[in-house]
Amino acid sequence: MMDHGGRVEEEEEGMLTCFVFEETGGKNEGITSHQERREICLNGCGRPTNVCLCSELPSEPLLTSTQILILHHPHELRHKLATVPVLSKCLRNCQTIVGRRLRLGSSPLLDSLYRASVDNPSRPRRAIYLFPGTDSSPSVELNDWVSLNSSKEDGISDLVLIVFDGTWKHAKEMVSASLPFLSMFATQVSLNYDTGVEGGTIFDSDLVLRKEPFHGCMSTMEAVARSLRVLEPRGVEIEQRLISVLRAMVKFQAGYLKPLKPRPKLAKKGKEVDKNKHL
């Protein structure tokens, strides 16, 4: 969220305004060749070789009964700190769709859920989408949703977890645009969050890559890991494995990020005049 999880950059993409990313060393270390800066681990993680994660990835993608489908915003394709490419190499049942909304024709899997819901509206829902709730679109806390559905005779097998990957602004737009389609067959769920508490940064957490808008928001990779902990029989083990990869990724990136000096706030002319009057 998102990564839901969501992410902002100054309320939109403020995570990027807080940090400077340097692919090579400092400015005084000289200019490296384009080939050296762009050398990629092609047969493994797909990341630059100086931040290769191959040694941290599972030897085989982790198998889950939950199918994960991620709507990946096009802008995230060029983002160096995106966790979706790494996550897709860690999980076997993980599908990524690049786009701005989900609709009929986006995915054969979702199309089948949509048609099944149209044919039989009373059929138990087998899809959930992860996004913090609002007054107009409330969400169910994931643990509560699992407790309610696991008590039913047929349990929660063959579940589909839908996640939106983009900045906080983009994620809200993606969910809103997808809602006419999603609302037919999927239930909105969320992890614990608090909009009244400021989110963390890479400098106060070993799991945060970009500044989060409020407490409870997290990268897509962490959000999926936390969700699978609740949804999967081996959830704790799967979560720990994914979090260890994310922690290694954050550790690598921390060496290339520098906090920017905050911009000084300019006093308004009116306030300055009032101040002078009292002198």
Side-chain angles (χ1 to χ4, degrees), residues 69-80:
L69 188 144
I70 301 171
L71 183 62
H72 192 51
H73 194 281
H75 287 187
E76 293 294 304
L77 290 174
R78 60 175 182 265
H79 209 297
K80 298 179 179 69

Side-chain angles (χ1 to χ4, degrees), residues 69 95 97 102-112 115 181:
L69 188 144
Q95 176 189 356
I97 297 174
L102 294 172
R103 53 184 171 180
L104 199 61
S106 297
S107 159
L109 174 61
L110 298 188
D111 288 355
S112 66
R115 293 193 176 95
F181 176 63

Side-chain angles (χ1 to χ4, degrees), residues 5 7 42 82 99 119 130 140 162 173 189 193 215-218 245:
R7 301 177 292 190
L42 297 176
D119 294 339
L130 191 62
V140 181
I162 302 166
E173 292 171 351
V189 300
Y193 65 94
H215 178 71
C217 283
M218 57 192 75
V245 176

Side-chain angles (χ1 to χ4, degrees), residues 30-182:
I31 300 175
T32 58
S33 68
H34 179 77
Q35 182 179 2
E36 182 181 349
R37 288 188 292 112
R38 294 290 184 179
E39 190 175 349
I40 301 296
C41 177
L42 297 176
N43 297 322
C45 63
R47 288 165 53 83
T49 53
N50 61 327
V51 288
C52 176
L53 283 173
C54 288
S55 62
E56 304 294 335
L57 298 179
S59 56
E60 293 290 337
L62 304 173
L63 181 62
T64 61
S65 58
T66 304
Q67 298 188 65
I68 300 100
L69 188 144
I70 301 171
L71 183 62
H72 192 51
H73 194 281
H75 287 187
E76 293 294 304
L77 290 174
R78 60 175 182 265
H79 209 297
K80 298 179 179 69
L81 303 184
T83 61
V84 169
V86 178
L87 180 61
S88 63
K89 293 181 181 298
C90 294
L91 296 174
R92 185 175 300 178
N93 291 331
C94 183
Q95 176 189 356
T96 301
I97 297 174
V98 178
R100 299 171 188 267
R101 66 168 171 152
L102 294 172
R103 53 184 171 180
L104 199 61
S106 297
S107 159
L109 174 61
L110 298 188
D111 288 355
S112 66
L113 293 173
Y114 174 84
R115 293 193 176 95
S117 177
V118 170
D119 294 339
N120 184 6
S122 62
R123 180 181 178 181
R125 294 191 170 190
R126 285 289 174 268
I128 55 177
Y129 63 98
L130 191 62
F131 198 75
T134 62
D135 292 338
S136 59
S137 180
S139 62
V140 181
E141 207 283 323
L142 184 58
N143 282 287
D144 294 338
W145 185 88
V146 170
S147 297
L148 176 63
N149 286 272
S150 60
S151 62
K152 295 179 180 178
E153 232 176 79
D154 49 359
I156 52 173
S157 59
D158 302 323
L159 183 67
V160 179
L161 171 65
I162 302 166
V163 183
F164 297 86
D165 182 71
T167 64
W168 183 238
K169 178 177 182 293
H170 287 155
K172 288 193 290 185
E173 292 171 351
M174 293 157 76
V175 170
S176 178
S178 303
L179 204 54
F181 176 63
L182 278 182

